[in-house]
Amino acid sequence: MGNLLCCVKVDQSTVAIKERFGKFDEVLEPGCHCLPWCLGSQLAGHLTLRLQQLDVRCETKTKDNVFVNVVASVQYRALAEKANDAFYKLSNPRTQIQAYVFDVIRASVPKLDLDDAFEQKNDIAKAVEDELEKAMSAYGYEIVQTLIVDIEPDEHVKRAMNEINAAARMRVAANEKAEAEKIIQIKRAEGEAEAKYLSGVGIARQRQAIVDGLRDSVLGFSVNVPGTTAKDVLDMVLITQYFDTMKEIGATSKSSSVFIPHGPGAVRDIATQIRDGLLQASQHHE
């Protein structure tokens, strides 16, 4: 009906290309336009000005000979002021953009190792965008943004990379575990050393208290019982300690058997040996 009335409608975010007798005449903006077909005017076609996205998957090889699939997303749109160039100069802009993406990726990625390719995704995207911007601007297209959305190595390579990462983490975990065990052993040894030290201090204090008690007992007995000497008191104390020891051995059910000479003469011999040992120790210290 519009063609019969020589009127055409152009939608929003779209331009129309008007020709006259097969030659470009003008670009029609969105709205209603008069198109007198009887005077040779005709509508060659429409061109969208909306932002478009093209996803390109490119297979290439890295510097360390790993084949990868690089997925790039290119966002582009036609420029209204260059609509005639965008309509007439390119028959298939998507194919043209894809060719440039292939060229830049296959020139950039082979210079990088696999790890570097992952780290320099932004640099690869910037190189693709610069090359596309320089090439497509002459055809009336603007490259808004280029993204490297994914780098996919071969499945075997990904599995090997995961195993390497897992082995590295296990090695770190083993080192941390060994370090923790080392700290535990050091702390345990320090605790045992401290316990032995404190036990030694306790035993030394106990023996000192025994010596002080014996000295006080000997002095007190000599004062209260005239005619007794320190030797007599010491013999009596040793005999008392001897019988206390025998009593403790006999009262303990789990004690081992102890074979010692027993009798009045044996007690005297034990007292003599202890006294001689004390005297020798005193002479040695002097």
Side-chain angles (χ1 to χ4, degrees), residues 42-117:
Q42 64 177 0
L43 197 65
H46 294 81
L47 181 68
T48 179
L49 301 180
R50 294 177 181 177
L51 184 67
Q52 302 180 68
Q53 178 169 312
L54 174 63
D55 293 329
V56 181
R57 178 181 292 270
C58 175
E59 184 180 16
T60 184
K61 186 180 72 170
T62 61
K63 186 178 181 180
D64 48 354
N65 297 321
V66 178
F67 281 91
V68 295
N69 285 314
V70 181
V71 181
S73 293
V74 181
Q75 298 176 353
Y76 66 98
R77 63 186 175 191
L79 298 174
E81 61 272 16
K82 294 184 177 180
N84 58 328
D85 292 335
F87 186 82
Y88 287 106
K89 288 186 177 181
L90 282 180
S91 61
N92 193 339
R94 300 175 70 88
T95 302
Q96 187 77 9
I97 292 174
Q98 182 175 337
Y100 279 108
V101 172
F102 280 174
D103 181 66
V104 176
I105 289 179
R106 288 174 176 169
S108 302
V109 175
K111 299 177 183 179
L112 305 172
D113 293 331
L114 181 59
D115 293 338
D116 295 335

Side-chain angles (χ1 to χ4, degrees), residues 174-191:
N175 290 335
E176 294 294 333
K177 181 179 179 181
E179 189 67 22
E181 292 178 353
K182 174 184 175 182
I183 294 174
I184 291 174
Q185 292 179 359
I186 292 174
K187 293 300 181 181
R188 184 183 296 117
E190 291 177 352

